Amino acid sequence: MSILSAKFLDTYQNMRPDWGPLGEIVYNIFYSRFLEEQERKENWVDTCARVVTGVYNIEKQHCLQYDRPWDDDKGILDAHKMFELIYSFMFLPPGRGLWAMGSSSMSRHGGAPLNNCGFTSTKDVGKFPVVNLHGPDATYPFVWLMNMSMLGVGIGFDTRGAGQHGVQKPYYVASQWVIPDSREGWVESVRMQLAGFFYGETLPRFDYSRIRPKGSIIRGFGGIAAGPEPLIKLHQALETLLTTYIGRRFDSTMIVDVNNLIGRCVVSGNVRRSAEIALGDPDDILFTRLKTDFDKVAEYRYISNNSVIVGPDSDYQRLGALTAAYGEPGYFWRENARLFGRMNGIQNASDYNADGTNPCVEQTLWNLELCNVVETFINRHKSLHQYMRTLKMAYRYAKVVSLVKTGIPETDKIIERNRRIGCSMSGVARAFNRMGTAQVFDWSDKGYDYLTGLDADYSCWLGINRSIKRTSIKPSGTVPLLPGETPALNFPESEFYHRTIRVSVNDPILVDLDRAKYRIEPNQYGADGGGETMVVYIPVQEPEFVRAKNDVSMWEQLEHVVGMQRYWADNQVSCTITFDQKEAEDIPRALELYQDKLKAVAFLPKKQDIYPQAPIQPISPSEYATSLASLKPLVITGQKDAVAVGGCDGGSCSVL
């Protein structure tokens, strides 16, 4: 039950949210839950009330449990403020927060589904000589990754375990192990298979008969079951891969392939996207050339972004040439992440134990750490004072998520120590156009100082550690589509374009979209093709349009990232710098010039040709007018839980 009164909520029920061009559609596909007692889907007021009530209840329960001061009246007053700011799109929780906060999913799955991302290192795989069922063994990094991925958390991992552990022939037995119809059952079956190969342990035959059939409704977490086929395919692929390694030691290829195969299973077997990043040694030729095997990339290596951990002695000329040719690797300056908060010349070494980062590279992370982010829309604010008011509530949301235990002792211990959060910004490119870069950087600098003081006061009230880092720029995905803002630092692709959205064939909103005469066709590409997913085309005119992405040089993009890393982000700025053919040869020089100003960067060639069903397809003004004129008013009548099939906030860093 909402802690917000019916009288308060009734004032919003007859209002229309300030949706962006895709906002209402995206909301109903991804974030509107089905209210079984009322036999209807949530509206935006319901979702905002659920999220705010969830935050309020977590705060109150924590204060009562740990004997901290609590005032119901003040709590409800603050809840009103948070509701108003979320409802009006001044800030938004991440997509997983909009979906899970305040829902029954929290009681079933703990805090993990509220977190955006995590990281696991393979650095210790050689320290476990025997299987230990009561503690970590060499399978643990892979099992942890699968467990978190199936809860919708994007996971980074490294290849530091290469050469540390060997693969043996498992001892096959005739007995069967019936896999339970649960996330835990799927994960345990993979642990058993890996243990068989890593330690020469017994390996039974798997019985998949209890796994619910394809098409069954998944209660609680939402979506439609994929049946046992993705897990069968994973077991078969791991068997084939690991058999080739019998008598050999782990190498970076094996580590990445095992995790990519797990990720592929999660993509096709769950309702959330799997997102992975692999961090490797820049001198490991096997690792840096993984994406040059196009057959394996198409089959499963597409699952992870691959980056190298670089430093002053790295061979940027060789690495930059690979990036210019293949779009990877990306780059992570781990020592910068360990030694600095903001890259303003002041060292603090708060992250001295940092091992890596998350798939979208906006958060510095320790081994087995999770983190959560929250998104503010700077361009929707008219004054710094107004923006600070929003920052207060956005910060509060993120900090509250750190109070919810995941049930994994090693992970909870790190979260409790670090209390890491990521207050992020979107709509920054529009703010650059409206306010100028100098004022955006000034707001960022002053906003950061405000958050630092706020964190000291709020942490003292709750009796918990201050957050070792508090700010970042996440790439974002579907969340900015609700108010129609540009994600992160991104400039728009074009003034007029078709935006495609992928929707499960089982989602009843397709009927509503068809009635409204939106163009709909079967998805042709990727793991969600084959008739399971439909592609919807939505005509969009970019508001406040000044420049398109292709009009912004590689060097200007880098300067924007440097500015936000200096004045705002004490974690990282997630950025993919687009470059044209003339700029490609300058990538090695750019890496050398900016290596002491950045923590991470990735590059991507500017698109010359738009492939069919691309996320954004530029169109002419007349094509836009024609598409818009053909549409009828959209009336949404769907009665099911949404089935999220993509989007960074659903667990993937790829754009829809």
Side-chain angles (χ1 to χ4, degrees), residues 453-592:
L454 186 65
D455 185 53
D457 293 341
Y458 195 72
S459 301
C460 180
W461 168 48
L462 292 176
I464 61 177
N465 288 344
R466 298 184 188 184
S467 298
I468 64 170
K469 289 180 178 175
R470 297 167 290 281
T471 51
S472 60
I473 297 288
K474 76 186 187 80
S476 201
T478 51
V479 167
L481 298 179
L482 301 187
E485 290 291 333
T486 52
L489 302 183
N490 293 0
F491 283 79
E493 296 273 354
S494 175
E495 182 176 7
F496 299 94
Y497 55 89
H498 275 130
R499 184 67 151 89
T500 62
I501 293 183
R502 282 157 173 76
V503 184
S504 168
V505 70
N506 299 297
D507 197 317
I509 198 173
L510 284 173
V511 175
D512 303 325
L513 292 167
D514 184 59
R515 288 197 187 104
K517 301 301 181 182
Y518 283 90
R519 174 183 167 190
I520 304 172
E521 61 188 32
N523 181 50
Q524 300 173 19
Y525 305 99
D528 55 358
E532 297 299 316
T533 304
M534 305 299 287
V535 178
V536 182
Y537 289 75
I538 301 172
V540 177
Q541 179 179 7
E542 183 68 27
E544 303 177 38
F545 179 78
V546 177
R547 288 189 295 168
K549 182 181 291 186
N550 284 349
D551 299 324
V552 185
S553 73
M554 177 180 80
W555 298 103
E556 184 179 354
Q557 294 172 66
L558 283 165
E559 284 298 313
H560 289 159
V561 175
V562 167
M564 297 309 291
Q565 189 72 75
R566 175 181 176 84
Y567 294 108
W568 177 253
D570 56 9
N571 283 288
Q572 285 127 226
V573 178
S574 176
C575 60
T576 300
I577 304 298
T578 56
F579 61 92
D580 60 31
Q581 204 60 39
K582 293 180 180 179
E583 294 169 325
E585 64 184 25
D586 289 332
I587 290 176
R589 188 159 61 94
L591 291 169
E592 186 173 357

Side-chain angles (χ1 to χ4, degrees), residues 413-428:
K413 183 178 179 180
I414 298 169
I415 292 174
E416 290 168 8
R417 184 210 179 277
N418 291 347
R419 299 291 178 187
R420 186 190 309 274
I421 60 174
C423 291
S424 181
M425 294 184 192
S426 273
V428 180

Side-chain angles (χ1 to χ4, degrees), residues 9 27 30 104 175 202 206 221 223 231 241-242 267 299 334 390 394 398-399 412 431 452 502 522 610 634:
L9 295 177
Y27 164 71
F30 289 95
S104 57
S175 61
T202 59
F206 291 125
F221 207 69
L231 185 59
L241 171 68
L242 295 175
V267 166
E299 190 179 353
R334 187 173 60 194
T390 294
K399 192 77 171 189
D412 286 335
T452 301
R502 282 157 173 76
I610 302 299
L634 175 64

Side-chain angles (χ1 to χ4, degrees), residues 389-409:
R389 179 173 175 263
T390 294
L391 283 178
K392 181 177 182 179
M393 288 301 162
Y395 158 86
R396 193 162 175 172
Y397 171 88
K399 192 77 171 189
V400 161
V401 171
S402 78
L403 300 177
V404 187
K405 293 185 181 298
T406 68
I408 302 172

Side-chain angles (χ1 to χ4, degrees), residues 19-90:
W19 298 116
L22 297 88
E24 188 173 14
I25 297 172
V26 169
Y27 164 71
N28 277 278
I29 293 172
F30 289 95
Y31 306 125
S32 174
R33 300 184 72 100
F34 184 65
L35 303 174
E36 293 193 18
E37 292 183 359
Q38 302 180 42
E39 296 187 347
R40 66 175 179 87
K41 291 188 72 175
E42 289 178 334
N43 59 34
W44 184 232
V45 173
D46 297 323
T47 300
C48 295
R50 168 172 54 76
V51 168
V52 171
T53 298
V55 171
Y56 173 94
N57 287 338
I58 294 168
E59 275 188 343
K60 181 175 182 179
Q61 182 179 359
H62 175 88
C63 289
L64 296 179
Q65 181 177 353
Y66 294 101
D67 197 26
R68 309 306 298 171
W70 178 260
D71 183 327
D72 266 327
D73 292 337
K74 185 178 185 306
I76 292 175
L77 182 63
D78 287 342
H80 285 182
K81 295 176 182 177
M82 182 177 286
F83 178 95
E84 292 164 0
L85 292 170
I86 295 175
Y87 181 88
S88 59
F89 304 118
M90 293 299 182

Side-chain angles (χ1 to χ4, degrees), residues 101-140:
M101 175 60 81
S103 74
S104 57
S105 296
M106 289 174 54
S107 61
R108 280 192 284 267
H109 304 293
L114 295 175
N115 284 272
N116 291 65
C117 47
F119 180 82
T120 179
S121 176
T122 59
K123 64 182 180 180
D124 293 327
V125 294
K127 295 182 179 179
F128 307 104
V130 295
V131 174
N132 178 6
L133 297 180
H134 302 290
D137 57 50
T139 70
Y140 195 71

Side-chain angles (χ1 to χ4, degrees), residues 588-605:
R589 188 159 61 94
L591 291 169
E592 186 173 357
L593 286 172
Y594 287 103
Q595 64 179 331
D596 60 348
K597 298 179 177 67
L598 296 176
K599 297 180 181 179
V601 68
F603 293 87
L604 185 69

